[in-house]
């Protein structure tokens, strides 16, 4: 990896961040707070929330096995996806490399930030070699996006190839593990100490059942986390989200139960799909969804919409012609989908 200072935009490296009242006095022992122009009434919503979400990070640190100093929390993974562009990529000059097809937000954030996006097409098994990713880079490549398990394909990207990229790429490698709670493979956040150029993304939106509270995580070296903290909005995670997250994190047993249930349903759904005459094939998955090739994805999608059942039509995505992405729901929801497809006449 190049020196961090060489990778960071000059204006960001030099930036003096906004210093809030809560930053300047963060002790808990005072009894009168007249420093932030808050209204003294309407407790607890009158007070600005903890800008660094320390209580929540301490809890997450135990669960994820990552030290507090290596954790950033954001307004969904969306924020953790946008920030690396703003920190590392000079608009109109730098570029990023990503696997293709993958999660759409990497490209949208590149476009918003006027950063060139270089997609590298996966092979027919939805895999990629480190060499192909590295071949797409030049001296201005700052970031590499690898989503594993990948969305919309569902499969894990070969761990060995990701490790090779981490060892040879001179810039930052971002491994989005939004779905790692559904996979039994060792998560990359466990290897943070070995790779100073690694950023791992996690989210509360999937296995933890909290998409509405908008809470995403980035795990990285404390130097990279310090840059995230410098550039983020001061109070980027509101009090209600912090409270709700603490609540669900206190109940990992329930989350475990959900994951087991969803994995069981996933296996049942795959077996059932393979017996449908309109199903051409199912791709391997390590997530709470699967990608399935149908005999006519558009027609089946429209048929399901007509019945009030919405799946994701991915037929216009590269390598995904005639594919639908099916999220695993409750047993009842899954049975509704199966029932409708069994009645479908090609
Ligand atoms: C769903 C998903 C996320 C989660 O995004 P949030 O903004 O945290 O809800 C992140 N990455 C991928 C690849 C996803 O599919």
């Amino acid at each position: 990896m190049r020196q961090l200072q060489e990778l960071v935009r000059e204006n960001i490296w030099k930036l003096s961040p906004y210093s809030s009242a809560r930053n300047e006095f963060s002790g808990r022992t005072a009894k009168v707070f007249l420093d932030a122009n808050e209204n003294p009434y309407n407790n607890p919503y009158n007070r600005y929330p903890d800008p660094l979400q320390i209580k929540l990070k301490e809890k997450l640190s135990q669960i994820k096995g990552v030290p507090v100093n290596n954790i950033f929390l954001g307004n969904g993974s969306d924020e953790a996806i946008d920030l690396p562009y703003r920190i590392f990529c000079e608009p109109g000059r730098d570029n990023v490399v990503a696997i293709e097809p993958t999660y759409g937000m990497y490209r949208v954030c590149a476009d918003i930030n006027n950063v060139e996006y270089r997609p590298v097409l996966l092979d027919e098994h939805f895999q990629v070699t480190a060499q192909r990713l590295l071949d797409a880079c030049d001296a201005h490549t700052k970031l590499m996006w690898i989503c594993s398990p990948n969305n919309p394909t569902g499969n894990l990207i070969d761990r060995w190839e990701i490790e090779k990229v981490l060892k040879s790429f001179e810039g930052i490698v971002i491994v989005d593990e939004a779905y790692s709670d559904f996979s039994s493979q060792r998560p990359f956040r466990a290897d943070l100490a070995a790779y100073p150029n690694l950023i791992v993304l996690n989210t509360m939106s999937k296995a933890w059942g909290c998409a509405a509270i908008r809470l995403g995580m980035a795990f990285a070296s404390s130097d990279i986390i310090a840059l995230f903290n410098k550039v983020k909005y001061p109070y980027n995670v509101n009090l209600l989200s912090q409270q709700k997250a603490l609540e669900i994190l206190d109940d990992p047993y329930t989350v475990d139960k959900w994951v087991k249930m969803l994995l069981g349903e996933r296996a049942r759904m795959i077996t059932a799909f393979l017996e449908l005459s309109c199903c051409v094939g199912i791709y391997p998955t390590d997530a709470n969804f699967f990608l399935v090739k149908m005999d006519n994805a558009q027609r089946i999608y429209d048929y399901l919409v007509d019945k009030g059942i919405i799946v994701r039509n991915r037929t216009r995505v590269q390598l995904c012609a005639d594919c639908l992405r099916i999220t695993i729901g409750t047993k009842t929801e899954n049975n509704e989908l199966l029932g409708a497809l069994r009645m479908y006449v090609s």
Side-chain angles (χ1 to χ4, degrees):
M1 176 192 179
R2 278 184 272 167
Q3 291 292 312
L4 197 55
Q5 184 173 357
E6 266 181 71
L7 289 171
V8 174
R9 295 167 69 197
E10 198 182 338
N11 62 312
I12 299 299
W13 190 262
K14 290 183 180 157
L15 176 75
S16 342
Y18 174 71
S19 182
S20 67
R22 279 294 167 276
N23 284 129
E24 288 178 18
F25 182 84
S26 55
R28 289 171 195 195
T29 48
K31 56 180 180 190
V32 178
F33 287 98
L34 301 177
D35 58 345
N37 296 349
E38 296 153 335
N39 189 321
Y41 306 110
N42 201 31
N43 190 271
Y45 306 107
N46 58 331
R47 299 294 175 194
Y48 283 101
D50 178 359
L52 291 174
Q53 312 98 18
I54 295 301
K55 241 176 105 179
L56 184 48
K57 283 179 185 169
E58 282 168 353
K59 187 100 222 166
L60 277 166
S61 172
Q62 291 168 13
I63 289 169
K64 301 282 185 177
V66 174
V68 167
N69 278 343
N70 299 108
I71 304 176
F72 162 82
L73 299 182
N75 185 342
S77 304
D78 296 335
E79 184 178 5
I81 291 167
D82 187 49
L83 279 172
Y85 286 102
R86 299 172 66 200
I87 293 167
F88 295 106
C89 299
E90 198 56 44
R93 187 195 73 183
D94 291 333
N95 65 70
V96 306
V97 167
I99 60 172
E100 175 81 11
T102 193
Y103 187 46
M105 277 303 285
Y106 314 143
R107 186 196 285 272
V108 171
C109 287
D111 291 347
I112 289 170
N113 288 287
N114 189 25
V115 170
E116 184 197 345
Y117 186 82
R118 299 183 170 188
V120 173
L121 198 63
L122 297 172
D123 65 20
E124 72 272 27
H125 306 292
F126 296 141
Q127 291 294 338
V128 71
T129 61
Q131 197 53 53
R132 291 206 56 225
L133 289 169
L134 294 167
D135 285 347
C137 297
D138 67 12
H140 292 298
T141 308
K142 294 291 187 69
L143 310 176
M144 181 99 74
W145 294 96
I146 301 175
C147 183
S148 178
N150 189 28
N151 179 1
T153 61
N155 62 299
L156 287 158
I157 303 298
D158 188 334
R159 195 172 214 289
W160 172 244
E161 299 299 330
I162 300 177
E163 284 175 8
K164 274 200 276 189
V165 169
L166 281 162
K167 284 174 196 150
S168 354
F169 179 48
E170 293 280 302
I172 305 288
V173 181
I174 302 164
V175 181
D176 187 342
E177 294 191 322
Y179 299 97
S180 61
D181 300 285
F182 300 102
S183 164
S184 48
Q185 195 180 91
R186 176 185 169 83
F188 268 92
R189 66 172 185 273
D191 294 335
L192 222 50
Y195 303 113
N197 58 340
L198 171 63
I199 298 175
V200 177
L201 304 185
N202 276 196
T203 180
M204 299 287 288
S205 298
K206 306 289 156 65
W208 291 85
C210 286
I213 73 172
R214 310 306 304 131
L215 196 80
M217 287 153 251
F219 307 115
S221 75
S222 53
D223 290 338
I224 292 177
I225 296 299
L227 289 161
F228 272 72
N229 287 337
K230 194 159 119 159
V231 175
K232 78 181 184 73
Y233 289 163
Y235 305 104
N236 60 329
V237 181
N238 72 66
L239 177 73
L240 298 173
S241 295
Q242 292 189 46
Q243 284 175 341
K244 194 69 205 172
L246 280 166
E247 218 175 277
I248 193 76
L249 290 173
D250 268 333
D251 193 10
Y253 175 75
T254 296
V255 175
D256 229 50
K257 217 173 54 188
W258 289 339
V259 169
K260 287 206 178 78
M261 197 281 292
L262 291 171
L263 293 181
E265 278 295 285
R266 187 183 72 188
R268 184 177 77 89
M269 289 293 279
I270 288 175
T271 308
F273 260 73
L274 289 171
E275 284 166 10
L276 295 169
S277 59
C278 59
C279 170
V280 175
I282 297 183
Y283 295 96
T285 178
D286 257 278
N288 64 334
F289 63 84
F290 60 93
L291 190 71
V292 53
K293 197 180 267 301
M294 306 299 267
D295 63 13
N296 187 337
Q298 187 63 52
R299 194 155 165 259
I300 294 169
Y301 175 81
D302 293 338
Y303 165 82
L304 290 171
V305 169
D306 218 49
K307 300 220 167 309
I309 300 169
I310 314 300
V311 297
R312 197 80 194 264
N313 184 4
R314 298 283 74 182
T315 190
R316 273 175 290 276
V317 170
Q318 277 197 85
L319 303 182
C320 300
D322 270 319
C323 286
L324 300 176
R325 193 193 68 190
I326 314 285
T327 307
I328 306 300
T330 63
K331 199 175 176 77
T332 313
E333 292 170 326
N334 300 335
N335 284 342
E336 286 229 19
L337 172 62
L338 288 176
L341 287 175
R342 283 174 186 139
M343 308 255 290
Y344 173 80
V345 191
S346 319

